[in-house]
Amino acid sequence: MKVYKNEKRKDYLKEHSIAHLFSFPIEEFIEVHEYQRDEWIIQEGTRPDFLFFVIEGKAKIYVTHHNGKVSLINFINANDYIGEMELLHEVYYTKGIQTSTKTICFAIPLHRCRTQLLEDVTFLRELTKFLSVKATQMAAKYSQSLAFPLENRLADFILQTADEGFYKEKHVTVCDFLGVSYRHLLHVLAQFCDKGYLQKEGRHYRIQQYQPLYELAGVLRNK
Amino acid sequence: MKVYKNEKRKDYLKEHSIAHLFSFPIEEFIEVHEYQRDEWIIQEGTRPDFLFFVIEGKAKIYVTHHNGKVSLINFINANDYIGEMELLHEVYYTKGIQTSTKTICFAIPLHRCRTQLLEDVTFLRELTKFLSVKATQMAAKYSQSLAFPLENRLADFILQTADEGFYKEKHVTVCDFLGVSYRHLLHVLAQFCDKGYLQKEGRHYRIQQYQPLYELAGVLRNK
DNA sequence: ACAAAAATATGAGATATCTCACATTTTGAG
DNA sequence: CTCAAAATGTGAGATATCTCATATTTTTGT
């Protein structure tokens, strides 16, 4: 992890100003952190000292279970908060956050700003919206994971992550995210190929037929 | 649904004052609603006109999927908010809320209070905490549902809901909540009886051995 | 450039969970 | 009280998903 200083820091603060998300002058407190690919921004089980706001990059939230299974709870993108749970709760089991690309965050030191943050209307209103979206997403994922087989959830995931007609996600990551075994993921992908929805090209999959994938994904939506 | 008026309303407002959750005088706006058992406080897919705060009673959040499956997303108890998503988001697919006992709520009319609520630090701070707990719970449930078989989740549920050593929940509700078929739920309950953890008495189950249930439930906790 | 680690791949058998069909019991509205 | 609806209960076969063993390929650190 690198901490940007002086000019580089100032440039980032100016270029990606988040002053409008607060009603007090926050900039002076902000540190600008750069994490490289696959670095851990927060270690699972360890309280962070900062509230982070992601400026550039992507990351993943992980939790490890007693039986050794790892769940990828969600993806984090630009303009997401990290560490807000620890700001709000004294006691909290901290999830691990790992970058999947180079990631730049604004880091707000909790020991200096906690009190002010918790009294700031502008900040709290934004955070409330952020959390409500998060809660809704998780509720949706939860109920879908119980109500539908992998076939449907995978179709949705493929459509959401496909890039120019190609699905290129890493199988291992997708297993953790959709909560299925590697074996079973490959099995369902192979079915999609058999049925002609996808065609494997090297290690990527070209989407051949969108319509049946749309139909499989469509049933996840609410009534 | 009944709306309490005059003395009855005043009594409730005094007895269960929520003035401390707001920094402006909210009481004058509050309606006191009573819902009987099994009544719907909010219809799925229909925007509510109020933000509710539960004073007494219990309710359930339901969502219906395209394939006809119904998920019980969560339980609602005293001191929970209902309808906060609709306060925060113009566009939102509203979940259904059904009481499971007689339930009394304070109902805050959105059209009159929305603006003030969204500018109220005290309210927003409380709501933020409420939502963060909700988001965390859902994330936990989600990852657990994927990582563990029913055996573990049911053991946890039995221990959490048991009353004086007896488990008495309705099977149909539990199926929706744990996202499994009726048949399978009975199957696992029968296993617990075979193994001597539970003993069926009429339509209730007496907990015979806590230890193995604790162990099954324990692996849900994080590493 | 090379060895180790990670990711991909595949087969076969086991288990968790679902669907459907049907019987019985309990509950609630009128 | 009565009847229909809801909840409970059981069997049997189907399917979704997991585990494990093992092989190949790709990526990564040094």
Side-chain angles (χ1 to χ4, degrees), chain A residues 8 10 30 50 55 57 78 86 90 103-104 108 120 125 127 133 135 145 159-160 163 168 182 188 193 196 209:
Chain A
K8 200 159 184 187
K10 272 190 198 153
I30 297 179
F50 299 91
I55 301 301
E86 292 79 1
E90 294 298 333
T103 299
I104 295 167
I108 303 168
D120 183 335
R125 189 164 48 220
L127 185 57
V133 170
S145 73
L159 291 172
Q160 283 199 45
D163 176 28
K168 322 178 170 177
Y182 189 91
V188 176
C193 292
Q209 297 181 50

Side-chain angles (χ1 to χ4, degrees), chain B residues 1-17:
Chain B
M1 187 267 281
K2 290 186 217 159
V3 180
Y4 291 176
K5 297 287 183 192
N6 307 319
E7 282 315 305
K8 199 159 184 188
R9 170 175 178 279
K10 271 190 200 154
D11 288 350
Y12 261 94
L13 285 176
K14 188 187 285 180
E15 192 67 28
H16 303 273
S17 173

Side-chain angles (χ1 to χ4, degrees), chain A:
Chain A
M1 188 266 281
K2 289 184 216 158
V3 180
Y4 291 178
K5 297 287 184 190
N6 307 318
E7 283 314 305
K8 200 159 184 187
R9 171 175 176 280
K10 272 190 198 153
D11 289 350
Y12 261 93
L13 285 176
K14 186 187 285 179
E15 191 67 29
H16 303 273
S17 173
I18 56 170
H20 62 286
L21 299 178
F22 303 85
S23 42
F24 66 100
I26 187 84
E27 312 242 310
E28 57 180 302
F29 299 109
I30 297 179
E31 295 182 8
V32 182
H33 291 187
E34 176 193 306
Y35 298 86
Q36 41 184 154
R37 182 160 179 272
D38 290 339
E39 200 171 350
W40 292 87
I41 298 180
I42 301 183
Q43 305 281 338
E44 188 171 347
T46 309
R47 271 191 97 75
D49 299 321
F50 299 91
L51 172 68
F52 297 94
F53 185 82
V54 180
I55 301 301
E56 288 176 20
K58 294 185 178 184
K60 296 171 283 188
I61 311 178
Y62 280 107
V63 64
T64 310
H65 299 282
H66 255 338
N67 63 359
K69 279 203 191 177
V70 171
S71 293
L72 201 187
I73 294 187
N74 216 342
F75 294 101
I76 291 177
N77 296 290
N79 299 310
D80 284 347
Y81 286 101
I82 300 176
E84 74 287 351
M85 294 299 172
E86 292 79 1
L87 165 69
L88 296 166
H89 300 281
E90 294 298 333
V91 175
Y92 179 74
Y93 180 81
T94 298
K95 283 28 171 200
I97 310 273
Q98 185 184 33
T99 63
S100 40
T101 65
K102 186 180 98 173
T103 299
I104 295 167
C105 301
F106 289 167
I108 303 168
L110 290 180
H111 68 285
R112 300 181 69 186
C113 298
R114 164 176 242 128
T115 313
Q116 273 184 90
L117 287 173
L118 293 179
E119 285 170 1
D120 183 335
V121 177
T122 312
F123 168 72
L124 286 175
R125 189 164 48 220
E126 284 306 312
L127 185 57
T128 306
K129 282 194 188 176
F130 173 74
L131 287 172
S132 68
V133 170
K134 205 163 165 173
T136 304
Q137 276 181 2
M138 290 313 305
K141 278 185 54 172
Y142 169 65
S143 65
Q144 288 165 8
S145 73
L146 296 175
F148 300 97
L150 180 62
E151 187 178 42
N152 299 98
R153 295 178 291 132
L154 180 59
D156 187 57
F157 185 74
I158 289 174
L159 291 172
Q160 283 199 45
T161 55
D163 176 28
E164 316 240 338
F166 278 92
Y167 168 74
K168 322 178 170 177
E169 299 303 313
K170 283 214 238 177
H171 298 331
V172 261
T173 307
V174 178
C175 292
D176 290 342
F177 186 62
L178 297 179
V180 295
S181 66
Y182 189 91
R183 194 66 194 80
H184 189 54
L185 173 62
L186 286 229
H187 179 235
V188 176
L189 277 172
Q191 282 183 4
F192 283 180
C193 292
D194 279 354
K195 292 180 184 161
Y197 307 164
L198 300 178
Q199 176 160 4
K200 200 167 163 191
E201 298 191 1
R203 30 192 53 210
H204 298 164
Y205 294 78
R206 178 201 292 278
I207 301 180
Q208 293 275 9
Q209 297 181 50
Y210 277 88
Q211 194 51 38
L213 292 176
Y214 282 136
E215 277 161 27
L216 286 171
V219 302
L220 297 188
R221 316 282 151 244
N222 294 120
K223 198 175 69 172

